[in-house]
Amino acid sequence: MPIANENKITAAFVQQFHDSYEIACQQNVSRLLGTVTNRGRIQGEAFTINDMGQVEMKPSGARFGDTPWTIPDAGVRSVTMNDFDLFLPIEKRDEPKLKAHPDDKYMKLLHNAHNRKVDDVIYQALIGSIARKTVNDAGTASTTNVVLPTSQIIAPTLGTLKQQIIKAKSLFRKNECDEQNGEELFQIYTADMMSEFLNDPTLTNADFMKIQMLQDGAVGTKWLGVTWVAYEKVANGATADSKRAPMYCKSAVHYGDANITDFGISVRPDKKNIKQVGGVHSMAAGRANEIKVVAIDYIPK
């Protein structure tokens, strides 16, 4: 005698699929998400990042004199959420498999696509522009798009890739944004960069072992005091033949996301009741401070 709902995806299973997806997203984050400041779930169409410049102490001056004020440079950065969706039709023969295994290939496809998009959004925030609102002494507000300054971009003309990496690290020390100030540094690297390091005859044995660990995909590998993160979809640098790989602090970028519709299973009456998996996610990232990002424009060999 057939069992009721034996080959049907029930409402309980739909919820199970969604819950399993959410747990997978929490446990298996994207490559870059763990390297930035995660603001979690965002309510609304945007979120803000407050920034404030450094201030320095001054001599006190005359006794009983006026109190001099130091007003720090301050601004509010606005990050607009963007929506991304993905829907996959379910092959009829896969329905029983999905019922038995909520971590089936469909969920893996959704999860992997979500993580890749998170990485893309974070990378663009590292190297792109961001809207910043300031108010002058007269109370007038103005908004400008802030780009990464040329002082934070290392051109290929500096020398070898290794020399560029060392120069980048020195900029963080100069800007008081390195490990000595409690910051955690990360470097995006590609297969081209790894290949150049492996072929560098000047690397010491200890350094070479670190590069080999990068080649093996070791998670959390550090070299020069920086954690290296693999990411291949880097953009062009200032010149068409160069690629841009940023080094950055964890506090340099803020990320937030939200569910527009749950990633789950639904029935499409307009498609002869075929089932589909998918949903809509809203996510965004924004740079919090320019001196906490150094873009390395290297030429792939």
Side-chain angles (χ1 to χ4, degrees):
M1 180 178 179
I3 302 174
N5 297 325
E6 180 179 11
N7 290 319
K8 293 183 180 180
I9 295 177
T10 63
F13 179 81
V14 170
Q15 185 62 43
Q16 180 188 1
F17 185 96
H18 168 67
D19 292 344
S20 298
Y21 177 83
E22 288 297 315
I23 291 172
C25 279
Q26 293 169 12
Q27 293 178 344
N28 304 299
V29 298
S30 70
R31 289 178 179 177
L32 301 187
L33 182 55
T35 71
V36 299
T37 302
N38 189 351
R39 298 278 291 270
R41 296 299 190 192
I42 302 298
Q43 301 295 326
E45 63 181 13
F47 66 91
T48 58
I49 306 170
N50 297 324
D51 65 46
M52 187 170 292
Q54 284 187 332
V55 294
E56 300 294 342
M57 298 192 74
K58 302 176 182 178
S60 295
R63 298 176 64 194
F64 307 112
D66 290 338
T67 301
W69 283 346
T70 300
I71 301 176
D73 176 45
V76 177
R77 298 165 185 245
S78 179
V79 185
T80 303
M81 302 293 286
N82 294 299
D83 300 340
F84 303 94
D85 60 43
L86 177 61
F87 294 93
L88 305 175
I90 300 176
E91 166 63 42
K92 191 70 176 177
R93 290 168 295 184
D94 285 347
E95 287 189 30
K97 301 174 188 175
L98 271 170
K99 180 175 173 60
H101 304 285
D103 59 345
D104 195 65
K105 59 185 178 182
Y106 289 99
M107 179 181 288
K108 292 177 181 177
L109 286 173
L110 293 173
H111 183 240
N112 292 339
H114 171 266
N115 282 349
R116 287 194 299 271
K117 181 53 65 177
V118 171
D119 287 346
D120 295 344
V121 167
I122 292 174
Y123 174 78
Q124 289 301 324
L126 284 166
I127 67 170
S129 62
I130 185 170
R132 183 175 187 262
K133 180 181 178 181
T134 57
V135 180
N136 62 19
D137 295 341
T140 303
S142 61
T143 301
T144 57
N145 281 327
V146 181
V147 299
L148 201 62
T150 55
S151 58
Q152 296 296 111
I153 300 174
I154 300 177
T157 52
L158 177 72
T160 65
L161 178 57
K162 184 179 178 181
Q163 290 173 321
Q164 289 179 288
I165 295 292
I166 294 172
K167 175 63 177 178
K169 181 69 186 296
S170 69
L171 286 178
F172 285 98
R173 175 82 294 277
K174 181 179 180 180
N175 293 330
E176 298 283 356
C177 294
D178 60 0
E179 315 91 296
Q180 301 298 320
N181 293 75
E183 293 284 0
E184 191 174 356
L185 297 180
F186 297 89
Q187 171 68 57
I188 284 176
Y189 76 98
T190 65
D192 292 326
M193 295 171 67
M194 182 186 67
S195 177
E196 184 168 340
F197 288 139
L198 287 170
N199 286 295
D200 187 343
T202 64
L203 287 173
T204 64
N205 289 336
D207 285 338
F208 190 75
M209 289 299 295
K210 291 289 187 181
I211 302 304
Q212 282 188 318
M213 290 173 68
L214 295 180
Q215 184 183 31
D216 294 337
V219 178
T221 297
K222 283 196 174 187
W223 179 49
L224 298 176
V226 179
T227 300
W228 291 66
V229 186
Y231 179 77
E232 292 295 328
K233 295 169 65 176
V234 294
N236 288 338
T239 59
D241 60 343
S242 65
K243 297 293 183 180
R244 181 158 291 181
M247 183 183 291
Y248 56 97
C249 301
K250 185 165 188 173
S251 59
V253 165
H254 290 209
Y255 170 88
D257 69 2
N259 280 348
I260 302 301
T261 63
D262 292 340
F263 264 63
I265 302 174
S266 59
V267 177
R268 291 288 302 272
D270 59 326
K271 298 292 184 181
K272 298 182 179 180
N273 286 333
I274 191 173
K275 294 181 178 64
Q276 70 178 22
V277 293
V280 183
H281 263 267
S282 184
M283 62 182 76
R287 191 172 57 246
N289 194 317
E290 280 63 53
I291 66 172
K292 294 186 176 184
V293 179
V294 176
I296 298 171
D297 285 0
Y298 72 96
I299 298 177
K301 301 298 184 182

